[in-house]
Amino acid sequence: MEIGIKGEKKFTVQKEQLANAVGSGLVAVFATPMMIANIENTAAASVAAELDEGKTTVGTLVNVSHVAATPEGMEVRIETTLTEIAPNGKILTFQVAAYDEAGLIGEGTHQRAIVDKDRFEQKAQSKKG
């Protein structure tokens, strides 16, 4: 895996992605949690092919501003760039940005940890007792 890996995703904002549909507000605009979910998805997908078998990434940190509202029906483009790999090789940092047809709507950083998928899920399930 190398610094500089890029990810991109384009989609049209749907009714079920609006703040008043997901419970993050009362307005009929693209919801911040949906923007963040798409940022995470784009970053994860951008490095997936570089991971060893049985490995995946999980989100550990999101520091993103949502600077402009986007109405239903407008296209959104998410861009991610891998900017740092921790010395232990397990923490990935991405520069992220989201745009609609009028310009920038969100930007910031996102970190993901490389984990063994089965072990990670087993550890989470063990919390049940």
Side-chain angles (χ1 to χ4, degrees), residues 2-126:
E2 294 183 12
I3 289 173
I5 293 172
K6 294 187 181 301
E8 182 178 90
K9 179 179 182 179
K10 292 180 182 180
F11 57 92
T12 300
V13 174
Q14 303 296 314
K15 188 174 200 163
E16 59 271 12
Q17 295 172 308
L18 302 180
N20 61 359
V22 302
S24 68
L26 301 177
V27 290
V29 298
F30 187 47
T32 302
M34 299 307 296
M35 182 181 74
I36 290 169
N38 279 282
I39 286 169
E40 287 203 62
N41 176 267
T42 305
S46 74
V47 296
E50 302 292 324
L51 301 173
D52 293 337
E53 189 172 334
K55 301 286 186 180
T56 190
T57 60
V58 294
T60 58
L61 178 67
V62 179
N63 185 5
V64 174
S65 60
H66 195 171
V67 299
T70 304
E72 179 182 358
M74 196 172 244
E75 185 177 85
V76 169
R77 183 178 81 254
I78 307 290
E79 295 180 354
T80 64
T81 303
L82 179 61
T83 58
E84 184 180 340
I85 302 170
N88 68 5
K90 294 181 180 181
I91 304 295
L92 310 176
T93 302
F94 297 84
Q95 188 69 37
V96 300
Y99 303 88
D100 65 18
E101 297 165 49
L104 182 72
I105 62 168
E107 63 183 339
T109 58
H110 172 46
Q111 285 186 340
R112 301 190 68 76
I114 298 172
V115 300
D116 180 274
K117 182 181 181 300
D118 291 338
R119 189 169 18 165
F120 186 86
E121 289 176 340
Q122 287 170 2
K123 185 176 178 184
Q125 290 298 320
S126 73

